[in-house]
Amino acid sequence: MNQTFNINRFGKLLKKDICSIWPLYGVAMIIIMSCTMIPWVLRLAFGDVLFQTIHPMFRIMMIGMAVMLVSCLAPSRLYNNCNLPKEGIYFAMLPASKLEKFLSMILTSVFICPLIALGCGIILDYLLYLIPFGGYDAPLFSVVSSFRSHLHEFDFNTLSVFYYVSNPLLWITGFWTNVITFFFTTTIFKRHKFLYTILWLFLIHFVLNNLMGVLMIVFSIASDGGWLVEMANRLEESGDLSIIRWLINGSIIFNLLYTFGLGWWSWVRLKKMKY
Protein backbone atom coordinates (compact mmCIF):
# COMPACT_ATOMS: atom_id res chain seq x y z
CA MET A 1 0.00 0.00 0.00
CA ASN A 2 1.49 3.37 -0.99
CA GLN A 3 1.75 6.49 1.17
CA THR A 4 -1.09 8.37 -0.53
CA PHE A 5 -4.16 9.53 1.35
CA ASN A 6 -7.61 8.49 0.21
CA ILE A 7 -10.50 9.97 2.16
CA ASN A 8 -12.87 7.04 1.54
CA ARG A 9 -10.27 4.47 2.54
CA PHE A 10 -9.32 6.53 5.58
CA GLY A 11 -12.98 6.86 6.61
CA LYS A 12 -13.44 3.09 6.53
CA LEU A 13 -10.27 2.57 8.57
CA LEU A 14 -11.31 5.17 11.14
CA LYS A 15 -14.74 3.57 11.42
CA LYS A 16 -13.09 0.20 11.96
CA ASP A 17 -10.84 1.63 14.71
CA ILE A 18 -13.77 3.33 16.44
CA CYS A 19 -15.81 0.13 16.32
CA SER A 20 -12.89 -1.76 17.87
CA ILE A 21 -12.87 0.48 20.96
CA TRP A 22 -15.63 -1.46 22.68
CA PRO A 23 -14.33 -5.05 22.17
CA LEU A 24 -10.73 -4.08 22.93
CA TYR A 25 -11.12 -1.41 25.57
CA GLY A 26 -14.78 -0.94 26.49
CA VAL A 27 -14.85 -2.91 29.75
CA ALA A 28 -11.61 -1.37 31.04
CA MET A 29 -12.88 2.10 30.14
CA ILE A 30 -16.13 1.53 32.05
CA ILE A 31 -14.22 0.28 35.11
CA ILE A 32 -11.91 3.32 35.08
CA MET A 33 -14.75 5.82 34.68
CA SER A 34 -16.76 4.01 37.38
CA CYS A 35 -13.99 4.87 39.83
CA THR A 36 -15.33 8.43 39.82
CA MET A 37 -18.25 6.99 41.83
CA ILE A 38 -16.00 6.10 44.78
CA PRO A 39 -16.70 9.31 46.79
CA TRP A 40 -20.43 8.90 46.14
CA VAL A 41 -20.35 5.27 47.31
CA LEU A 42 -18.33 6.15 50.41
CA ARG A 43 -20.74 8.95 51.28
CA LEU A 44 -23.64 6.54 50.79
CA ALA A 45 -22.00 3.83 52.91
CA PHE A 46 -20.73 5.94 55.81
CA GLY A 47 -23.16 8.86 55.77
CA ASP A 48 -21.65 12.24 56.61
CA VAL A 49 -18.77 10.74 58.62
CA LEU A 50 -16.38 11.23 55.69
CA PHE A 51 -18.18 13.88 53.60
CA GLN A 52 -20.93 16.35 54.34
CA THR A 53 -21.28 16.92 50.60
CA ILE A 54 -19.03 16.14 47.65
CA HIS A 55 -17.96 19.43 46.10
CA PRO A 56 -18.32 19.78 42.28
CA MET A 57 -14.66 20.83 41.95
CA PHE A 58 -13.57 17.56 43.57
CA ARG A 59 -15.83 15.65 41.18
CA ILE A 60 -14.36 17.51 38.20
CA MET A 61 -10.88 16.55 39.38
CA MET A 62 -11.94 12.90 39.72
CA ILE A 63 -13.38 12.88 36.20
CA GLY A 64 -10.28 14.61 34.84
CA MET A 65 -7.95 12.01 36.38
CA ALA A 66 -10.12 9.17 35.06
CA VAL A 67 -10.15 10.67 31.55
CA MET A 68 -6.37 11.08 31.68
CA LEU A 69 -5.91 7.43 32.70
CA VAL A 70 -8.31 6.24 29.97
CA SER A 71 -6.47 8.34 27.37
CA CYS A 72 -2.97 7.24 28.39
CA LEU A 73 -3.97 3.58 28.43
CA ALA A 74 -5.84 3.73 25.10
CA PRO A 75 -2.89 3.40 22.66
CA SER A 76 -1.50 0.27 24.30
CA ARG A 77 -4.96 -1.34 24.50
CA LEU A 78 -6.07 -0.51 20.97
CA TYR A 79 -2.76 -0.86 19.12
CA ASN A 80 -0.79 -3.26 21.27
CA ASN A 81 0.41 -5.30 18.28
CA CYS A 82 1.33 -2.44 15.93
CA ASN A 83 5.10 -2.87 16.49
CA LEU A 84 5.31 -6.64 16.98
CA PRO A 85 7.09 -8.55 14.17
CA LYS A 86 4.63 -11.48 14.06
CA GLU A 87 1.43 -10.32 15.76
CA GLY A 88 1.60 -7.02 13.91
CA ILE A 89 1.12 -8.64 10.49
CA TYR A 90 -2.64 -8.04 10.75
CA PHE A 91 -1.97 -4.32 11.34
CA ALA A 92 0.48 -4.26 8.41
CA MET A 93 -1.99 -5.96 6.07
CA LEU A 94 -4.86 -3.54 6.68
CA PRO A 95 -5.96 -2.08 3.31
CA ALA A 96 -4.76 1.44 4.02
CA SER A 97 -1.56 3.43 3.67
CA LYS A 98 0.75 3.91 6.61
CA LEU A 99 -0.20 7.58 6.74
CA GLU A 100 -3.88 6.69 7.00
CA LYS A 101 -3.16 4.17 9.74
CA PHE A 102 -1.15 6.71 11.70
CA LEU A 103 -3.80 9.43 11.41
CA SER A 104 -6.53 7.00 12.45
CA MET A 105 -4.46 5.93 15.47
CA ILE A 106 -3.92 9.56 16.49
CA LEU A 107 -7.59 10.50 16.13
CA THR A 108 -8.79 7.43 18.00
CA SER A 109 -6.27 7.58 20.85
CA VAL A 110 -5.82 11.32 21.37
CA PHE A 111 -9.31 12.64 20.56
CA ILE A 112 -12.08 10.03 20.32
CA CYS A 113 -11.31 7.91 23.39
CA PRO A 114 -10.86 10.97 25.65
CA LEU A 115 -14.12 12.48 24.39
CA ILE A 116 -16.00 9.22 24.98
CA ALA A 117 -14.56 8.97 28.50
CA LEU A 118 -15.35 12.61 29.25
CA GLY A 119 -18.93 12.20 28.03
CA CYS A 120 -19.39 9.05 30.13
CA GLY A 121 -17.99 10.81 33.19
CA ILE A 122 -20.31 13.80 32.84
CA ILE A 123 -23.38 11.62 32.20
CA LEU A 124 -22.57 9.37 35.16
CA ASP A 125 -22.07 12.37 37.42
CA TYR A 126 -25.40 13.87 36.32
CA LEU A 127 -27.23 10.60 36.96
CA LEU A 128 -25.75 10.41 40.46
CA TYR A 129 -26.73 14.04 41.05
CA LEU A 130 -30.35 13.21 40.19
CA ILE A 131 -30.44 10.55 42.92
CA PRO A 132 -31.61 12.29 46.13
CA PHE A 133 -28.91 10.75 48.31
CA GLY A 134 -25.18 10.17 48.15
CA GLY A 135 -23.82 13.69 48.60
CA TYR A 136 -24.08 15.18 45.11
CA ASP A 137 -26.11 18.23 46.09
CA ALA A 138 -25.07 20.51 43.20
CA PRO A 139 -24.65 20.07 39.43
CA LEU A 140 -21.13 19.40 38.20
CA PHE A 141 -20.61 22.76 36.49
CA SER A 142 -22.26 24.84 39.22
CA VAL A 143 -18.70 25.54 40.33
CA VAL A 144 -18.45 28.06 37.47
CA SER A 145 -21.38 30.19 38.65
CA SER A 146 -20.18 29.80 42.26
CA PHE A 147 -16.75 31.12 41.30
CA ARG A 148 -18.28 34.07 39.45
CA SER A 149 -20.34 35.02 42.49
CA HIS A 150 -17.13 35.26 44.57
CA LEU A 151 -15.06 37.26 42.08
CA HIS A 152 -15.44 40.41 44.19
CA GLU A 153 -13.52 38.74 47.02
CA PHE A 154 -10.26 38.55 45.03
CA ASP A 155 -7.81 41.33 44.29
CA PHE A 156 -6.70 42.26 40.79
CA ASN A 157 -3.39 40.35 40.89
CA THR A 158 -5.06 37.14 42.07
CA LEU A 159 -7.70 37.40 39.34
CA SER A 160 -4.95 38.00 36.78
CA VAL A 161 -3.15 34.83 37.90
CA PHE A 162 -6.44 32.90 37.63
CA TYR A 163 -6.91 34.31 34.13
CA TYR A 164 -3.50 33.17 32.91
CA VAL A 165 -3.53 29.76 34.61
CA SER A 166 -7.05 28.94 33.38
CA ASN A 167 -5.98 29.33 29.75
CA PRO A 168 -7.70 26.39 27.95
CA LEU A 169 -4.71 25.99 25.62
CA LEU A 170 -2.46 25.34 28.61
CA TRP A 171 -4.66 22.49 29.86
CA ILE A 172 -5.39 21.01 26.42
CA THR A 173 -1.77 21.03 25.27
CA GLY A 174 -0.66 19.66 28.64
CA PHE A 175 -3.15 16.84 28.19
CA TRP A 176 -1.77 16.15 24.71
CA THR A 177 1.80 15.87 26.01
CA ASN A 178 0.77 13.09 28.39
CA VAL A 179 -1.24 11.14 25.82
CA ILE A 180 1.34 11.47 23.03
CA THR A 181 4.01 10.12 25.40
CA PHE A 182 2.07 6.87 25.86
CA PHE A 183 1.23 6.83 22.16
CA PHE A 184 4.94 7.07 21.30
CA THR A 185 5.99 4.33 23.74
CA THR A 186 3.41 2.05 22.15
CA THR A 187 5.75 2.02 19.15
CA ILE A 188 8.81 1.41 21.37
CA PHE A 189 8.04 -1.28 23.93
CA LYS A 190 7.09 -4.78 22.85
CA ARG A 191 5.36 -5.90 26.04
CA HIS A 192 3.81 -4.19 29.09
CA LYS A 193 3.77 -0.90 27.21
CA PHE A 194 1.78 1.09 29.77
CA LEU A 195 3.68 -0.26 32.80
CA TYR A 196 7.11 0.28 31.25
CA THR A 197 6.15 3.82 30.29
CA ILE A 198 5.09 4.59 33.87
CA LEU A 199 8.35 3.18 35.24
CA TRP A 200 10.47 5.17 32.78
CA LEU A 201 8.53 8.36 33.53
CA PHE A 202 9.13 7.86 37.26
CA LEU A 203 12.84 7.34 36.61
CA ILE A 204 13.13 10.43 34.39
CA HIS A 205 11.13 12.50 36.89
CA PHE A 206 13.39 11.34 39.74
CA VAL A 207 16.57 12.21 37.83
CA LEU A 208 15.29 15.63 36.73
CA ASN A 209 14.10 16.51 40.24
CA ASN A 210 17.47 15.66 41.72
CA LEU A 211 19.29 17.53 38.97
CA MET A 212 17.16 20.64 39.48
CA GLY A 213 17.68 20.39 43.24
CA VAL A 214 21.46 20.31 42.81
CA LEU A 215 21.38 23.25 40.39
CA MET A 216 19.24 25.32 42.77
CA ILE A 217 21.65 24.61 45.63
CA VAL A 218 24.65 25.54 43.49
CA PHE A 219 23.05 28.79 42.32
CA SER A 220 22.00 29.65 45.87
CA ILE A 221 25.49 29.07 47.25
CA ALA A 222 27.10 30.98 44.38
CA SER A 223 24.93 34.03 45.11
CA ASP A 224 25.32 33.82 48.92
CA GLY A 225 21.78 32.49 49.21
CA GLY A 226 18.47 34.25 49.29
CA TRP A 227 18.40 35.40 45.67
CA LEU A 228 15.30 33.37 44.89
CA VAL A 229 13.48 34.81 47.88
CA GLU A 230 14.60 38.30 46.90
CA MET A 231 13.38 37.85 43.34
CA ALA A 232 10.03 36.50 44.56
CA ASN A 233 9.63 39.45 46.94
CA ARG A 234 10.36 41.93 44.17
CA LEU A 235 7.75 40.33 41.93
CA GLU A 236 5.20 40.38 44.73
CA GLU A 237 5.92 44.04 45.56
CA SER A 238 5.85 45.22 41.96
CA GLY A 239 2.72 43.26 41.08
CA ASP A 240 4.29 42.57 37.68
CA LEU A 241 2.57 39.48 36.30
CA SER A 242 4.32 39.54 32.93
CA ILE A 243 6.60 36.70 34.03
CA ILE A 244 3.53 34.54 34.69
CA ARG A 245 2.18 35.37 31.24
CA TRP A 246 5.51 34.45 29.67
CA LEU A 247 5.69 31.21 31.65
CA ILE A 248 2.18 30.20 30.56
CA ASN A 249 2.82 31.08 26.90
CA GLY A 250 6.20 29.33 27.05
CA SER A 251 4.55 26.23 28.51
CA ILE A 252 1.96 26.19 25.72
CA ILE A 253 4.67 26.49 23.05
CA PHE A 254 6.74 23.76 24.72
CA ASN A 255 3.70 21.47 24.96
CA LEU A 256 2.92 21.96 21.27
CA LEU A 257 6.52 21.33 20.21
CA TYR A 258 6.72 18.26 22.44
CA THR A 259 3.42 16.88 21.11
CA PHE A 260 4.26 17.42 17.45
CA GLY A 261 7.84 16.20 17.99
CA LEU A 262 6.82 12.90 19.56
CA GLY A 263 3.96 12.58 17.07
CA TRP A 264 6.41 12.95 14.19
CA TRP A 265 8.80 10.45 15.80
CA SER A 266 5.94 7.98 16.23
CA TRP A 267 5.06 8.40 12.56
CA VAL A 268 8.68 7.74 11.54
CA ARG A 269 8.82 4.58 13.63
CA LEU A 270 5.55 3.26 12.23
CA LYS A 271 6.60 4.09 8.69
CA LYS A 272 9.85 2.16 9.04
CA MET A 273 8.36 -0.76 10.97
CA LYS A 274 9.31 -4.18 9.58
CA TYR A 275 7.08 -7.25 9.93
Side-chain angles (χ1 to χ4, degrees), residues 13-32:
L13 177 64
L14 181 61
K15 180 181 178 181
K16 175 260 176 193
D17 282 352
I18 294 174
C19 292
S20 68
I21 292 176
W22 172 251
L24 294 176
Y25 194 29
V27 175
M29 188 183 297
I30 290 175
I31 292 173
I32 293 171

Side-chain angles (χ1 to χ4, degrees), residues 2-274:
N2 58 32
Q3 298 298 321
T4 59
F5 181 86
N6 181 280
I7 188 65
N8 293 326
R9 194 170 59 200
F10 172 72
K12 294 178 180 178
L13 177 64
L14 181 61
K15 180 181 178 181
K16 175 260 176 193
D17 282 352
I18 294 174
C19 292
S20 68
I21 292 176
W22 172 251
L24 294 176
Y25 194 29
V27 175
M29 188 183 297
I30 290 175
I31 292 173
I32 293 171
M33 296 311 301
S34 296
C35 290
T36 60
M37 294 178 58
I38 291 176
W40 186 88
V41 173
L42 292 176
R43 173 65 171 74
L44 184 63
F46 299 101
D48 58 1
V49 175
L50 296 177
F51 308 100
Q52 292 290 335
T53 59
I54 304 171
H55 196 275
M57 181 57 73
F58 180 74
R59 288 146 53 191
I60 290 174
M61 292 174 58
M62 289 286 293
I63 293 174
M65 289 188 293
V67 170
M68 179 66 75
L69 180 57
V70 165
S71 305
C72 292
L73 192 56
S76 61
R77 294 301 296 262
L78 298 176
Y79 305 103
N80 187 54
N81 297 331
C82 69
N83 66 330
L84 302 182
K86 294 181 179 180
E87 296 90 334
I89 292 177
Y90 170 77
F91 178 81
M93 295 301 293
L94 288 173
S97 67
K98 291 183 177 179
L99 176 60
E100 291 161 352
K101 295 174 185 176
F102 171 73
L103 292 177
S104 181
M105 292 171 69
I106 286 287
L107 286 175
T108 305
S109 301
V110 182
F111 294 98
I112 295 173
C113 278
L115 288 175
I116 292 174
L118 179 61
C120 290
I122 294 174
I123 292 172
L124 178 60
D125 185 275
Y126 184 70
L127 292 176
L128 294 177
Y129 162 69
L130 292 178
I131 299 175
F133 49 83
Y136 283 17
D137 63 340
L140 185 64
F141 295 109
S142 63
V143 67
V144 177
S145 58
S146 175
F147 177 77
R148 287 177 178 175
S149 65
H150 291 83
L151 285 178
H152 64 279
E153 300 176 6
F154 302 100
D155 57 45
F156 176 78
N157 286 344
T158 303
L159 289 175
S160 299
V161 172
F162 283 155
Y163 172 77
Y164 291 127
V165 173
S166 61
N167 189 330
L169 281 177
L170 177 64
W171 294 95
I172 293 173
T173 56
F175 172 80
W176 286 346
T177 59
N178 286 282
V179 180
I180 201 66
T181 300
F182 286 84
F183 183 90
F184 170 69
T185 55
T186 299
T187 69
I188 297 290
F189 301 125
K190 302 294 185 182
R191 293 286 186 271
H192 309 296
K193 301 173 187 288
F194 181 78
L195 177 61
Y196 285 168
T197 304
I198 293 292
L199 294 176
W200 273 103
L201 288 177
F202 270 122
L203 177 61
I204 294 171
H205 188 264
F206 175 79
V207 171
L208 290 179
N209 273 351
N210 281 277
L211 179 61
M212 289 300 296
V214 171
L215 291 176
M216 296 295 284
I217 292 173
V218 170
F219 289 149
S220 180
I221 294 175
S223 60
D224 296 327
W227 67 275
L228 286 174
V229 176
E230 181 182 354
M231 183 177 67
N233 290 334
R234 288 181 179 179
L235 288 173
E236 184 178 359
E237 292 172 0
S238 65
D240 184 9
L241 299 176
S242 60
I243 188 171
I244 296 178
R245 184 175 67 251
W246 282 106
L247 285 173
I248 297 299
N249 292 335
S251 297
I252 293 173
I253 293 172
F254 172 81
N255 290 342
L256 288 173
L257 292 176
Y258 180 90
T259 300
F260 285 108
L262 274 193
W264 174 81
W265 197 352
S266 303
W267 155 243
V268 171
R269 286 194 54 80
L270 287 172
K271 186 170 63 173
K272 296 182 178 180
M273 203 71 67
K274 303 295 182 182

